[in-house]
Amino acid sequence: MENTLSLEIIEVVEQAAIASSRLMGKGDKNEADRVAVEAMRERMNNIHMRGRIVIGEGERDEAPMLFIGEEVGICTREDAKAFCNPDELVEIDIAVDPCEGTNLVAYGQNGSMAVLAISEKGGLFAAPDFYMKKLAAPPAARGHVDISKSATHNLKVLAECLSRSIEELVVVVMDRPRHKELIQEIRQAGARVRLISDGDVSAAISCAFSGTNIHALMGIGAAPEGVISAAAMRCLGGHFQGQLIYDPEVVKTGLIGESKEGNLARLKEMGINDPDKIYEAEELASGNTVLFAASGITPGTLMEGVRFFNGGARTHSLVISTQSKTARFVDTIHLFDEPKSLQLR
């Protein structure tokens, strides 16, 4: 699967990033998301694969494309036999976020990217559009920190695992009212806090790379993005745990569903009988082979954003695989027209 898809999924996220970056700073997050979705879907449907969206833009009646359950790839077309033998291709599940951090793009802020994760059928947890409590940490802390423990406890353990003082640790937290007490506890423990407005996938992944000066992600964010983060962290050997949050009172800023009771009923309908279960990365991304790809839309900790020049654009992307156990950064120049010069400005 990796040999067939690695290069092509890079192109999928690159095209989404280029399309969305044209709306950077224009104040229209919905349009930035829409063009990314269209570009991602168009490129995805030119790949010889049998894909199914398990995490996407929402249910069929909420999203015109890349909706949950949508089939993508040349080999899902009615005339697929004219292009390939569908029976010989592995069915794959795909989780996408064509514009992770729409507000970041709309207001020209750092950290937005186009992302997707792929695994064989059944290899990605089909997370409901709820929230998720998350804990991400470097590979050295894998299995040692625990989302069920306090932030103070985890910071002590993390400091020991990394052989540094708590005061040297940086924890990323989403800047939300629900995190007021968490932020206070982290500061009282002695660690430093980096607040972000959006884009916690990038923050989670950054924990797994040395030199990013990000040592943990804590707090509550969107559940679908949690699965995508888990896929990347499983590939990188980092620590990731997630626990679904179904009570609107905990989230404070709104939640899909009208009530805690209604959300619990929905989870039961989805076959989730233990709503308080703590999921490890290997459960959220359980496939034998997991691929993750991202391309920067605006500049971030790991990747540069899209940079346009006369006649083209330059992208910076990342592809990670459990099969080859590699994390490749890809720097690509895209030529749109006959260039007058390849010199970037």
Side-chain angles (χ1 to χ4, degrees):
M1 185 171 70
E2 178 189 4
N3 293 337
T4 304
L5 292 177
S6 286
L7 180 59
E8 293 195 281
I9 66 170
I10 293 175
E11 294 180 359
V12 169
V13 291
E14 286 175 343
Q15 291 305 311
I18 290 171
S20 187
S21 68
R22 296 182 186 277
L23 278 295
M24 192 275 291
K26 295 189 176 182
D28 191 343
K29 69 174 187 176
N30 292 331
E31 184 66 7
D33 185 57
R34 185 189 68 79
V35 297
V37 171
E38 288 186 352
M40 180 172 279
R41 182 176 184 265
E42 181 179 357
R43 181 63 185 88
M44 203 176 286
N45 275 326
N46 285 315
I47 299 176
H48 280 74
M49 67 177 183
R50 298 172 63 190
R52 179 175 65 100
I53 303 297
V54 295
I55 290 176
E57 293 295 289
E59 302 296 335
R60 181 191 294 264
D61 57 350
E62 298 171 356
M65 58 183 66
L66 294 184
F67 55 82
I68 297 170
E70 180 178 4
E71 294 186 338
V72 291
I74 288 178
C75 299
T76 63
R77 292 167 40 170
E78 292 183 1
D79 59 346
K81 290 185 178 180
F83 303 93
C84 57
N85 184 351
D87 295 330
E88 293 181 355
L89 292 176
V90 176
E91 292 183 77
I92 59 175
D93 285 351
I94 308 172
V96 303
D97 194 343
C99 183
E100 211 264 323
T102 54
N103 282 318
L104 300 177
V105 178
Y107 300 110
Q109 298 171 339
N110 290 354
S112 63
M113 57 186 185
V115 299
L116 63 79
I118 289 178
S119 187
E120 65 267 18
K121 185 176 181 181
L124 296 174
F125 179 66
D129 195 9
F130 284 7
Y131 282 83
M132 177 182 281
K133 182 180 178 182
K134 306 173 187 179
L135 174 61
R142 182 181 175 187
H144 297 288
V145 292
D146 187 343
I147 198 172
S148 66
K149 305 292 185 180
S150 69
T152 303
H153 171 86
N154 283 324
L155 288 170
K156 290 179 181 178
V157 173
L158 182 57
E160 292 174 2
C161 292
L162 298 179
S163 298
R164 59 175 67 204
S165 68
I166 293 178
E167 287 73 19
E168 293 175 320
L169 300 177
V170 175
V171 182
V172 174
V173 182
M174 296 277 282
D175 190 5
R176 298 289 189 270
R178 61 178 173 263
H179 292 145
K180 181 179 178 180
E181 293 180 359
L182 172 62
I183 293 168
Q184 184 179 10
E185 181 180 354
I186 294 170
R187 288 171 173 165
Q188 288 179 343
R192 295 169 291 165
V193 177
R194 180 180 295 181
L195 296 175
I196 59 171
S197 61
D198 295 282
D200 65 352
V201 174
S202 176
I205 300 168
S206 295
C207 296
F209 287 91
S210 299
T212 61
N213 199 37
I214 295 176
H215 307 108
L217 168 73
M218 296 183 181
I220 297 171
E225 282 78 357
V227 175
I228 296 174
S229 298
M233 291 298 273
R234 185 187 157 196
C235 294
L236 293 166
H239 181 94
F240 188 89
Q241 290 174 297
Q243 184 178 35
L244 293 174
I245 302 295
Y246 49 83
D247 187 349
E249 293 298 320
V250 174
V251 178
K252 299 184 187 301
T253 53
L255 184 70
I256 299 297
E258 297 180 357
S259 66
K260 174 181 176 180
E261 292 72 21
N263 290 333
L264 285 169
R266 184 182 173 198
L267 290 175
K268 192 170 183 179
E269 289 175 1
M270 296 177 65
I272 300 175
N273 296 316
D274 182 4
D276 297 313
K277 176 180 171 62
I278 294 174
Y279 295 91
E280 306 291 333
E282 293 76 11
E283 295 173 295
L284 295 172
S286 61
N288 292 325
T289 300
V290 178
L291 295 175
F292 170 90
S295 188
I297 301 175
T298 57
T301 303
L302 291 174
M303 294 170 289
E304 292 288 342
V306 178
R307 292 147 290 166
F308 291 97
F309 59 89
N310 180 29
R314 187 173 183 174
T315 58
H316 196 204
S317 307
L318 169 65
V319 60
I320 316 171
S321 165
T322 57
Q323 188 172 350
S324 64
K325 297 183 180 179
T326 56
R328 293 186 175 95
F329 287 93
V330 182
D331 193 353
T332 307
I333 289 178
H334 306 259
L335 299 179
F336 305 148
D337 305 307
E338 188 67 27
K340 295 178 182 178
S341 171
L342 286 182
Q343 182 172 347
L344 305 181
R345 298 183 184 278

